[in-house]
Amino acid sequence: MNLRLFSQFIPKKSILLPTAGRIRYVSNKPCDLYLPATHVVKDISKDQTEFLDRAEKTLLPVYVRPQEIVLSHGEGSYLFSASGQKYLDFSAGIAVNSLGHGDKEFIEVLTQQASKIIHSSNVYHNEHAAKLAALLIELTKRDGGLGWRAGETTSDNGKGAKVFFSNSGTEANEGALKIARMAGKMRWSAKTGKPWDSPDSECDKYRIVCFEHSFHGRSMGALSVTNTRKYQAPFEPLLPGVDVGRINDYSSLDALITDKTCAVIVEPIQGEGGINSCEESWLTKLRERCNQTDAVLIFDEIQASDCGLYRNGSLWAHSQYEIECHPDIVTMAKPLANGYPIGAIMMRDAIGQYMTAGTHGTTFGGSPLACALGTHVLSRLSHPQFMENIRVNGEHLDQRLRRLPEWFPHILQRDIRGRGLIRGLGFVEGKSPTKLVELSRQRGVLLLTGGADAVRIVPSLTITRDEIDKAVDVIESALMLM
Ligand SMILES: Cc1ncc(COP(=O)(O)O)c(C=O)c1O
């Protein structure tokens, strides 16, 4: 249609937005269709009261959960509560349900594999672990990462990679830190000619560098590099030898990372910390400094970090960067098996060579069921059409979100954080991200907070354009009420 002709039909308070080859009009004022709260449960049923009583008496109270929701089932991008409320899920189990809820093909693989073999231990090989490891390495070569330029599939120039499967992100990071400690000792030995394992060893290459607002997990090792006071304080003393820097601070790197550093762990996009992105040029400097000091560089891409596994539009957040900043180790978890527990550490052979039989292990990690599901999920996420959908929908989400700080400058910071389908709305001082999460939930949309000052938007990767529009409409109405 001729644009001038077409413009006659556009409501006066609207603007034109070109999206993915289509022209659509977008209102130039916030949506006010969702001002009334539709999902406030006034009378909690007797059954639910009993359930909540039981939960209070029996579950360790380390979470604050909304009392009105007891989840019963899910379908696609929607979750349903036992009392019959339907919620549009823009939290995806904290960036986990990559294929949404109740995906038929996923369930088919799950039931078939469960009927064959679920668990066998790492004492024996199973048919699926090496298959998933090979797929991860193949896709890293195809899409770029861990030192490979995208498309370096034919010749690996002597560069290879190894994978270790765990059960969670925390466990993957814990293992990565152990591997880096081992590498540090071996490298120190090679440099000094002294043994690292004698009882009076002088080996001092064991320090670990992490960054402010990081989140790497809650076990003692991972917690020691999770630089949030409220998470760490009750459990001190933590691992000794941890140094804390600030992302995108160039001037401190030389003093921060020294010959005593064995590992540097960083999220290329901080998730829990509030969707803060590292600059590529800073990551390149970080890599350079790790090379100078022989420190192992670990990228935690667990949330898809918040960013890996296609959430940000590519396999790894660092797939979009030059190889000069690529890490030695990448850790992953959350979406890899669409909610079935799995984690993994993938490392360059140059690092993997230090690990020998007995130096690390797990009972459940790499089980036939977890790896069959991981292979299925990864094969689907990495399909070019699927990746294109994430790109197009990520762009649409971006266009919708970018208007919010213009309309609500008294609530929101100017820049929308993150990329692809991992986005963050930063709040100005004195305004509460928790309030937006609550108001949206009362209008049927589930969001997450991120750090102290942000709301996180991490829908399933199968989210549709209409669902994005609905969620942002609700967010707009909720912001009007703040
Ligand atoms: C970046 C990052 N690393 C590690 C973890 C810990 O993963 P898990 O909860 O699977 O142990 C998380 C969890 O949110 C995370 O976002």
mmCIF file of all heavy atoms in Angstrom, residues 367-386:
data_model
loop_
_atom_site.group_PDB
_atom_site.id
_atom_site.type_symbol
_atom_site.label_atom_id
_atom_site.label_comp_id
_atom_site.label_asym_id
_atom_site.label_seq_id
_atom_site.Cartn_x
_atom_site.Cartn_y
_atom_site.Cartn_z
ATOM 1 N N SER A 367 23.969 -37.392 32.631
ATOM 2 C CA SER A 367 23.112 -38.580 32.559
ATOM 3 C C SER A 367 22.508 -38.710 31.159
ATOM 4 O O SER A 367 22.378 -37.719 30.438
ATOM 5 C CB SER A 367 21.990 -38.492 33.600
ATOM 6 O OG SER A 367 20.993 -37.589 33.139
ATOM 7 N N PRO A 368 22.119 -39.937 30.788
ATOM 8 C CA PRO A 368 21.525 -40.126 29.458
ATOM 9 C C PRO A 368 20.291 -39.238 29.247
ATOM 10 O O PRO A 368 20.118 -38.669 28.169
ATOM 11 C CB PRO A 368 21.119 -41.604 29.429
ATOM 12 C CG PRO A 368 21.767 -42.241 30.608
ATOM 13 C CD PRO A 368 22.266 -41.183 31.533
ATOM 14 N N LEU A 369 19.458 -39.101 30.291
ATOM 15 C CA LEU A 369 18.233 -38.305 30.111
ATOM 16 C C LEU A 369 18.578 -36.826 29.930
ATOM 17 O O LEU A 369 18.091 -36.184 28.980
ATOM 18 C CB LEU A 369 17.284 -38.501 31.303
ATOM 19 C CG LEU A 369 15.953 -37.759 31.214
ATOM 20 C CD1 LEU A 369 15.201 -38.094 29.918
ATOM 21 C CD2 LEU A 369 15.058 -38.073 32.415
ATOM 22 N N ALA A 370 19.411 -36.278 30.813
ATOM 23 C CA ALA A 370 19.762 -34.848 30.713
ATOM 24 C C ALA A 370 20.388 -34.559 29.347
ATOM 25 O O ALA A 370 20.070 -33.546 28.705
ATOM 26 C CB ALA A 370 20.717 -34.471 31.838
ATOM 27 N N CYS A 371 21.273 -35.439 28.900
ATOM 28 C CA CYS A 371 22.005 -35.160 27.657
ATOM 29 C C CYS A 371 21.132 -35.381 26.415
ATOM 30 O O CYS A 371 21.279 -34.663 25.419
ATOM 31 C CB CYS A 371 23.289 -35.979 27.597
ATOM 32 S SG CYS A 371 24.462 -35.430 28.847
ATOM 33 N N ALA A 372 20.218 -36.353 26.473
ATOM 34 C CA ALA A 372 19.296 -36.529 25.334
ATOM 35 C C ALA A 372 18.421 -35.274 25.203
ATOM 36 O O ALA A 372 18.191 -34.765 24.092
ATOM 37 C CB ALA A 372 18.416 -37.766 25.551
ATOM 38 N N LEU A 373 17.972 -34.764 26.349
ATOM 39 C CA LEU A 373 17.128 -33.563 26.311
ATOM 40 C C LEU A 373 17.944 -32.352 25.855
ATOM 41 O O LEU A 373 17.472 -31.532 25.049
ATOM 42 C CB LEU A 373 16.516 -33.298 27.687
ATOM 43 C CG LEU A 373 15.483 -34.336 28.132
ATOM 44 C CD1 LEU A 373 15.075 -34.123 29.585
ATOM 45 C CD2 LEU A 373 14.248 -34.291 27.222
ATOM 46 N N GLY A 374 19.172 -32.245 26.353
ATOM 47 C CA GLY A 374 20.039 -31.131 25.951
ATOM 48 C C GLY A 374 20.281 -31.144 24.446
ATOM 49 O O GLY A 374 20.241 -30.106 23.786
ATOM 50 N N THR A 375 20.509 -32.323 23.894
ATOM 51 C CA THR A 375 20.768 -32.440 22.455
ATOM 52 C C THR A 375 19.531 -31.995 21.667
ATOM 53 O O THR A 375 19.625 -31.262 20.675
ATOM 54 C CB THR A 375 21.130 -33.900 22.092
ATOM 55 O OG1 THR A 375 22.245 -34.285 22.886
ATOM 56 C CG2 THR A 375 21.480 -34.038 20.623
ATOM 57 N N HIS A 376 18.360 -32.439 22.129
ATOM 58 C CA HIS A 376 17.115 -32.053 21.461
ATOM 59 C C HIS A 376 16.924 -30.530 21.497
ATOM 60 O O HIS A 376 16.665 -29.893 20.469
ATOM 61 C CB HIS A 376 15.928 -32.751 22.121
ATOM 62 C CG HIS A 376 14.604 -32.282 21.603
ATOM 63 N ND1 HIS A 376 14.122 -32.667 20.364
ATOM 64 C CD2 HIS A 376 13.689 -31.422 22.124
ATOM 65 C CE1 HIS A 376 12.951 -32.067 20.161
ATOM 66 N NE2 HIS A 376 12.665 -31.304 21.208
ATOM 67 N N VAL A 377 17.084 -29.947 22.701
ATOM 68 C CA VAL A 377 16.840 -28.507 22.865
ATOM 69 C C VAL A 377 17.832 -27.705 22.020
ATOM 70 O O VAL A 377 17.447 -26.805 21.264
ATOM 71 C CB VAL A 377 16.931 -28.101 24.359
ATOM 72 C CG1 VAL A 377 16.891 -26.593 24.517
ATOM 73 C CG2 VAL A 377 15.799 -28.745 25.145
ATOM 74 N N LEU A 378 19.106 -28.063 22.135
ATOM 75 C CA LEU A 378 20.141 -27.303 21.427
ATOM 76 C C LEU A 378 19.969 -27.416 19.909
ATOM 77 O O LEU A 378 20.180 -26.444 19.176
ATOM 78 C CB LEU A 378 21.521 -27.824 21.859
ATOM 79 C CG LEU A 378 22.711 -26.954 21.529
ATOM 80 C CD1 LEU A 378 22.544 -25.544 22.100
ATOM 81 C CD2 LEU A 378 23.996 -27.585 22.083
ATOM 82 N N SER A 379 19.554 -28.591 19.433
ATOM 83 C CA SER A 379 19.352 -28.752 17.985
ATOM 84 C C SER A 379 18.245 -27.809 17.510
ATOM 85 O O SER A 379 18.331 -27.224 16.436
ATOM 86 C CB SER A 379 18.927 -30.184 17.634
ATOM 87 O OG SER A 379 19.846 -31.075 18.167
ATOM 88 N N ARG A 380 17.219 -27.665 18.336
ATOM 89 C CA ARG A 380 16.117 -26.772 17.922
ATOM 90 C C ARG A 380 16.497 -25.302 18.028
ATOM 91 O O ARG A 380 16.219 -24.513 17.136
ATOM 92 C CB ARG A 380 14.867 -27.087 18.747
ATOM 93 C CG ARG A 380 14.255 -28.392 18.227
ATOM 94 C CD ARG A 380 13.022 -28.802 18.926
ATOM 95 N NE ARG A 380 11.972 -27.807 18.996
ATOM 96 C CZ ARG A 380 10.914 -27.931 19.795
ATOM 97 N NH1 ARG A 380 10.800 -28.995 20.563
ATOM 98 N NH2 ARG A 380 9.977 -27.014 19.814
ATOM 99 N N LEU A 381 17.168 -24.943 19.149
ATOM 100 C CA LEU A 381 17.519 -23.531 19.331
ATOM 101 C C LEU A 381 18.479 -23.055 18.244
ATOM 102 O O LEU A 381 18.461 -21.889 17.855
ATOM 103 C CB LEU A 381 18.172 -23.282 20.698
ATOM 104 C CG LEU A 381 17.399 -23.622 21.970
ATOM 105 C CD1 LEU A 381 18.143 -23.105 23.202
ATOM 106 C CD2 LEU A 381 15.996 -23.045 21.958
ATOM 107 N N SER A 382 19.331 -23.968 17.768
ATOM 108 C CA SER A 382 20.383 -23.558 16.829
ATOM 109 C C SER A 382 19.917 -23.598 15.379
ATOM 110 O O SER A 382 20.672 -23.278 14.469
ATOM 111 C CB SER A 382 21.602 -24.463 16.993
ATOM 112 O OG SER A 382 21.242 -25.807 16.729
ATOM 113 N N HIS A 383 18.652 -23.995 15.147
ATOM 114 C CA HIS A 383 18.127 -24.028 13.780
ATOM 115 C C HIS A 383 18.044 -22.591 13.255
ATOM 116 O O HIS A 383 17.556 -21.693 13.964
ATOM 117 C CB HIS A 383 16.747 -24.681 13.770
ATOM 118 C CG HIS A 383 16.270 -24.988 12.393
ATOM 119 N ND1 HIS A 383 15.739 -24.024 11.561
ATOM 120 C CD2 HIS A 383 16.273 -26.136 11.686
ATOM 121 C CE1 HIS A 383 15.425 -24.569 10.397
ATOM 122 N NE2 HIS A 383 15.746 -25.852 10.449
ATOM 123 N N PRO A 384 18.523 -22.335 12.021
ATOM 124 C CA PRO A 384 18.548 -20.954 11.514
ATOM 125 C C PRO A 384 17.199 -20.234 11.616
ATOM 126 O O PRO A 384 17.138 -19.046 11.936
ATOM 127 C CB PRO A 384 18.982 -21.117 10.058
ATOM 128 C CG PRO A 384 19.781 -22.384 10.069
ATOM 129 C CD PRO A 384 19.161 -23.269 11.103
ATOM 130 N N GLN A 385 16.089 -20.963 11.374
ATOM 131 C CA GLN A 385 14.776 -20.303 11.445
ATOM 132 C C GLN A 385 14.436 -19.890 12.879
ATOM 133 O O GLN A 385 13.885 -18.813 13.126
ATOM 134 C CB GLN A 385 13.696 -21.250 10.898
ATOM 135 C CG GLN A 385 12.323 -20.605 10.755
ATOM 136 C CD GLN A 385 12.343 -19.326 9.908
ATOM 137 O OE1 GLN A 385 12.841 -19.346 8.782
ATOM 138 N NE2 GLN A 385 11.850 -18.209 10.460
ATOM 139 N N PHE A 386 14.808 -20.749 13.816
ATOM 140 C CA PHE A 386 14.565 -20.446 15.230
ATOM 141 C C PHE A 386 15.383 -19.216 15.643
ATOM 142 O O PHE A 386 14.887 -18.303 16.308
ATOM 143 C CB PHE A 386 14.947 -21.661 16.087
ATOM 144 C CG PHE A 386 14.354 -21.635 17.469
ATOM 145 C CD1 PHE A 386 13.240 -22.391 17.779
ATOM 146 C CD2 PHE A 386 14.911 -20.846 18.470
ATOM 147 C CE1 PHE A 386 12.695 -22.364 19.061
ATOM 148 C CE2 PHE A 386 14.375 -20.803 19.747
ATOM 149 C CZ PHE A 386 13.256 -21.573 20.036
#
